[in-house]
Amino acid sequence: MAAVPACIGPNAVTQTAAALDAGPGHDTTVRVFTAAGLLQWLESPPVRMVEEQAVARLHAAVRQGLDRSEASAVMAEAGRRTGAYILAHRIPAAARRLLPVLPARWAMPLLLNAVGRHAWTFVGSGVFEEGPGPDFGSGRHWTLTIRNNPLAREEQWGIPICGWHRAVFETLFQKLVRCPVQVEETHCLAAGDDRCAFRLSLS
């Protein structure tokens, strides 16, 4: 029996289209989706999980079709839009009310656990791990790791490229944790590292 392809949530596609439209413009959106072989998704946007390889092609087409700064801005905006969608449609209202009023040291483990339970929607065949950062004694730093990240494992750029993931995480944690949260990608498969990793810092 054939293996079932690993999938990622449709927001990785639809919010990328929205970010392209809002930034470089619709002509660029059409060009990028055509280059990725996914023009049909502009005409009929996906509403269910999509194959991770198609998402990887789309995100790669953004990086290949735009200059570096513009591509980074588009993927960050796509990640923010994805995070906003998750907040509005996937986070229970009770959690949206409760988490921001809890002390950050209580809210962070709860939110990290929730993100981990739903990681299959954004890592596909990758492996998601979460935990305290190396200097956890301060109680201010956490690390999110995606091993075998399907959106980066075929890429070679010499720099971190996971701006979509970073912006999704930052949007969720900034809205649901009382302290300001910054997210930095510290390791990336596309930069030659053995994993993609993100450092969450509480201000």
Short mmCIF file of all heavy atoms in Angstrom, two decimals, residues 21 23 28 47 50-51 69 86 88-89 91 97 102 117 119-120 127 137 147 158 160-162 171 177 190 193 201:
data_model
loop_
_atom_site.label_atom_id
_atom_site.label_comp_id
_atom_site.label_asym_id
_atom_site.label_seq_id
_atom_site.Cartn_x
_atom_site.Cartn_y
_atom_site.Cartn_z
N ASP A 21 -0.04 39.27 -2.40
CA ASP A 21 -0.98 40.26 -2.93
C ASP A 21 -0.81 41.60 -2.22
O ASP A 21 -0.83 42.67 -2.85
CB ASP A 21 -2.42 39.78 -2.76
CG ASP A 21 -2.85 38.80 -3.84
OD1 ASP A 21 -2.10 38.61 -4.82
OD2 ASP A 21 -3.94 38.22 -3.71
N GLY A 23 1.81 42.72 -0.65
CA GLY A 23 3.14 43.30 -0.79
C GLY A 23 3.51 43.57 -2.24
O GLY A 23 3.14 44.61 -2.79
N THR A 28 2.82 39.42 -9.14
CA THR A 28 3.90 38.62 -8.55
C THR A 28 3.35 37.33 -7.95
O THR A 28 3.98 36.27 -8.04
CB THR A 28 4.65 39.42 -7.48
OG1 THR A 28 5.23 40.58 -8.08
CG2 THR A 28 5.75 38.59 -6.83
N VAL A 47 -8.66 24.27 1.32
CA VAL A 47 -9.31 24.44 2.62
C VAL A 47 -8.99 23.28 3.55
O VAL A 47 -9.35 23.31 4.73
CB VAL A 47 -10.83 24.58 2.46
CG1 VAL A 47 -11.18 25.85 1.69
CG2 VAL A 47 -11.44 23.37 1.77
N VAL A 50 -2.67 20.12 2.98
CA VAL A 50 -2.06 19.98 1.66
C VAL A 50 -0.71 19.29 1.80
O VAL A 50 -0.07 19.34 2.85
CB VAL A 50 -1.90 21.36 0.99
CG1 VAL A 50 -3.25 21.99 0.72
CG2 VAL A 50 -1.06 22.30 1.86
N GLU A 51 -0.26 18.66 0.72
CA GLU A 51 1.00 17.93 0.77
C GLU A 51 2.17 18.87 1.08
O GLU A 51 2.28 19.94 0.49
CB GLU A 51 1.25 17.20 -0.55
CG GLU A 51 0.28 16.05 -0.79
CD GLU A 51 0.68 15.23 -2.01
OE1 GLU A 51 1.84 15.35 -2.46
OE2 GLU A 51 -0.17 14.48 -2.50
N SER A 69 15.37 40.56 0.71
CA SER A 69 14.63 41.35 1.71
C SER A 69 13.13 41.28 1.45
O SER A 69 12.33 41.19 2.39
CB SER A 69 15.11 42.79 1.71
OG SER A 69 14.88 43.40 0.46
N ILE A 86 -4.94 31.41 13.32
CA ILE A 86 -4.97 30.41 14.38
C ILE A 86 -5.59 30.99 15.66
O ILE A 86 -6.41 30.36 16.32
CB ILE A 86 -3.56 29.87 14.65
CG1 ILE A 86 -3.05 29.09 13.44
CG2 ILE A 86 -3.53 28.99 15.91
CD1 ILE A 86 -1.57 28.73 13.50
N ALA A 88 -7.74 33.39 15.91
CA ALA A 88 -9.16 33.66 15.74
C ALA A 88 -9.99 32.39 15.63
O ALA A 88 -11.15 32.37 16.08
CB ALA A 88 -9.38 34.53 14.51
N HIS A 89 -9.42 31.32 15.07
CA HIS A 89 -10.24 30.16 14.71
C HIS A 89 -9.83 28.86 15.38
O HIS A 89 -10.61 27.89 15.33
CB HIS A 89 -10.21 29.96 13.20
CG HIS A 89 -10.73 31.12 12.42
ND1 HIS A 89 -12.07 31.39 12.27
CD2 HIS A 89 -10.08 32.11 11.75
CE1 HIS A 89 -12.24 32.47 11.54
NE2 HIS A 89 -11.05 32.93 11.22
N ILE A 91 -7.79 28.73 18.60
CA ILE A 91 -7.55 28.85 20.04
C ILE A 91 -8.89 29.09 20.72
O ILE A 91 -9.59 30.05 20.40
CB ILE A 91 -6.60 30.01 20.36
CG1 ILE A 91 -5.28 29.86 19.60
CG2 ILE A 91 -6.35 30.11 21.87
CD1 ILE A 91 -4.47 28.65 19.99
N ARG A 97 -8.73 34.32 26.68
CA ARG A 97 -8.96 35.23 27.81
C ARG A 97 -8.04 34.92 28.98
O ARG A 97 -7.55 35.84 29.65
CB ARG A 97 -10.42 35.12 28.27
CG ARG A 97 -11.44 35.67 27.29
CD ARG A 97 -12.81 35.79 27.94
NE ARG A 97 -13.33 34.50 28.41
CZ ARG A 97 -14.10 33.70 27.68
NH1 ARG A 97 -14.44 34.05 26.45
NH2 ARG A 97 -14.53 32.55 28.16
N LEU A 102 -2.41 35.30 33.03
CA LEU A 102 -1.57 34.47 33.88
C LEU A 102 -0.15 35.00 33.92
O LEU A 102 0.32 35.62 32.95
CB LEU A 102 -1.54 33.03 33.36
CG LEU A 102 -2.81 32.20 33.47
CD1 LEU A 102 -2.58 30.85 32.79
CD2 LEU A 102 -3.21 32.00 34.92
N ARG A 117 0.98 19.94 20.76
CA ARG A 117 -0.10 19.01 20.42
C ARG A 117 -0.60 19.21 19.00
O ARG A 117 -1.11 18.28 18.38
CB ARG A 117 -1.27 19.17 21.40
CG ARG A 117 -0.99 18.66 22.80
CD ARG A 117 -2.28 18.39 23.55
NE ARG A 117 -3.19 19.52 23.50
CZ ARG A 117 -3.19 20.54 24.37
NH1 ARG A 117 -2.29 20.57 25.34
NH2 ARG A 117 -4.06 21.52 24.27
N ALA A 119 1.37 20.50 16.50
CA ALA A 119 2.52 20.73 15.63
C ALA A 119 2.38 20.04 14.28
O ALA A 119 2.93 20.52 13.28
CB ALA A 119 3.80 20.27 16.33
N TRP A 120 1.64 18.93 14.22
CA TRP A 120 1.50 18.22 12.96
C TRP A 120 0.93 19.10 11.86
O TRP A 120 1.14 18.85 10.67
CB TRP A 120 0.62 16.98 13.16
CG TRP A 120 -0.75 17.29 13.72
CD1 TRP A 120 -1.07 17.45 15.04
CD2 TRP A 120 -1.95 17.52 12.98
NE1 TRP A 120 -2.42 17.74 15.17
CE2 TRP A 120 -2.98 17.78 13.92
CE3 TRP A 120 -2.27 17.51 11.62
CZ2 TRP A 120 -4.30 18.04 13.55
CZ3 TRP A 120 -3.59 17.76 11.25
CH2 TRP A 120 -4.58 18.02 12.20
N VAL A 127 9.79 16.71 12.98
CA VAL A 127 9.59 16.37 14.39
C VAL A 127 9.72 17.65 15.22
O VAL A 127 10.76 18.33 15.16
CB VAL A 127 10.61 15.33 14.87
CG1 VAL A 127 10.43 15.04 16.36
CG2 VAL A 127 10.47 14.05 14.05
N GLY A 137 17.82 28.84 33.70
CA GLY A 137 17.86 29.30 35.08
C GLY A 137 17.22 30.66 35.26
O GLY A 137 16.68 30.97 36.32
N ARG A 147 12.93 19.25 13.72
CA ARG A 147 13.92 18.38 13.10
C ARG A 147 13.35 17.85 11.78
O ARG A 147 12.18 17.55 11.68
CB ARG A 147 14.31 17.23 14.04
CG ARG A 147 14.91 17.74 15.34
CD ARG A 147 15.53 16.64 16.18
NE ARG A 147 16.04 17.17 17.44
CZ ARG A 147 17.24 17.74 17.58
NH1 ARG A 147 18.04 17.84 16.53
NH2 ARG A 147 17.64 18.21 18.75
N GLY A 158 22.64 29.19 3.17
CA GLY A 158 23.70 29.71 4.03
C GLY A 158 23.22 30.60 5.15
O GLY A 158 24.02 31.10 5.94
N PRO A 160 19.47 31.32 7.88
CA PRO A 160 18.15 30.81 8.27
C PRO A 160 17.06 31.34 7.33
O PRO A 160 17.10 32.51 6.92
CB PRO A 160 17.97 31.34 9.69
CG PRO A 160 19.36 31.60 10.19
CD PRO A 160 20.12 32.05 8.97
N ILE A 161 16.10 30.49 6.98
CA ILE A 161 15.08 30.90 6.03
C ILE A 161 13.65 30.70 6.55
O ILE A 161 12.69 30.97 5.82
CB ILE A 161 15.21 30.12 4.71
CG1 ILE A 161 15.00 28.61 4.95
CG2 ILE A 161 16.55 30.40 4.05
CD1 ILE A 161 14.81 27.80 3.68
N CYS A 162 13.51 30.24 7.80
CA CYS A 162 12.18 29.85 8.28
C CYS A 162 11.40 31.03 8.86
O CYS A 162 10.90 30.98 9.99
CB CYS A 162 12.31 28.73 9.30
SG CYS A 162 13.10 27.25 8.62
N THR A 171 3.70 35.61 16.64
CA THR A 171 2.34 36.14 16.71
C THR A 171 1.55 35.47 17.82
O THR A 171 0.88 36.14 18.62
CB THR A 171 1.62 35.93 15.36
OG1 THR A 171 2.34 36.63 14.34
CG2 THR A 171 0.20 36.45 15.41
N VAL A 177 0.77 35.60 25.74
CA VAL A 177 1.61 35.66 26.94
C VAL A 177 1.71 37.12 27.36
O VAL A 177 1.88 38.00 26.52
CB VAL A 177 3.01 35.07 26.68
CG1 VAL A 177 3.91 35.23 27.90
CG2 VAL A 177 2.90 33.60 26.29
N ALA A 190 18.67 24.99 6.20
CA ALA A 190 19.12 25.69 4.99
C ALA A 190 20.44 26.43 5.20
O ALA A 190 21.09 26.81 4.23
CB ALA A 190 18.06 26.67 4.52
N ASP A 193 22.79 23.69 9.35
CA ASP A 193 22.65 23.11 10.69
C ASP A 193 21.89 21.79 10.62
O ASP A 193 21.34 21.42 9.58
CB ASP A 193 21.92 24.10 11.60
CG ASP A 193 22.69 25.41 11.79
OD1 ASP A 193 23.91 25.33 12.01
OD2 ASP A 193 22.07 26.49 11.69
N SER A 201 12.28 34.53 23.77
CA SER A 201 12.80 35.33 24.87
C SER A 201 11.68 36.20 25.44
O SER A 201 11.02 36.92 24.68
CB SER A 201 13.96 36.22 24.41
OG SER A 201 15.00 35.45 23.87
#
